[in-house]
Amino acid sequence: MNVNYEWVGFILSGICAVAWLVQLYYQVIHLSRTSFFRTENTSNDTPPVSVIICAKNELKNLRAFLPSIV
């Protein structure tokens, strides 16, 4: 059986090119929206922030430094 294997490489290259174009489309169209997204900040107040402090057996240090963190 004589099979022409030249077309196999051509077909695989085409599949890779199509996959690359799909990824490029996704990157450019969908992910670029987040790059240029801007929110309007109408308030001059800073938003509230949560601070998490991990401490184990640090009562003395927490009493000393917690007021400056708050």
Side-chain angles (χ1 to χ4, degrees), residues 41-48:
N41 190 3
T42 58
S43 169
N44 290 337
D45 297 335
T46 58

Side-chain angles (χ1 to χ4, degrees), residues 32-53:
S32 66
R33 292 179 188 169
T34 58
S35 300
F36 301 111
F37 181 74
R38 300 206 187 261
T39 59
E40 300 230 0
N41 190 3
T42 58
S43 169
N44 290 337
D45 297 335
T46 58
V49 175
S50 296
V51 177
I52 299 173
I53 300 172

Side-chain angles (χ1 to χ4, degrees), residues 9-27:
F10 182 72
I11 291 172
L12 288 177
S13 297
I15 291 171
C16 289
V18 169
W20 182 79
L21 288 173
V22 168
Q23 290 178 5
L24 182 67
Y25 169 79
Y26 181 77
Q27 292 282 331

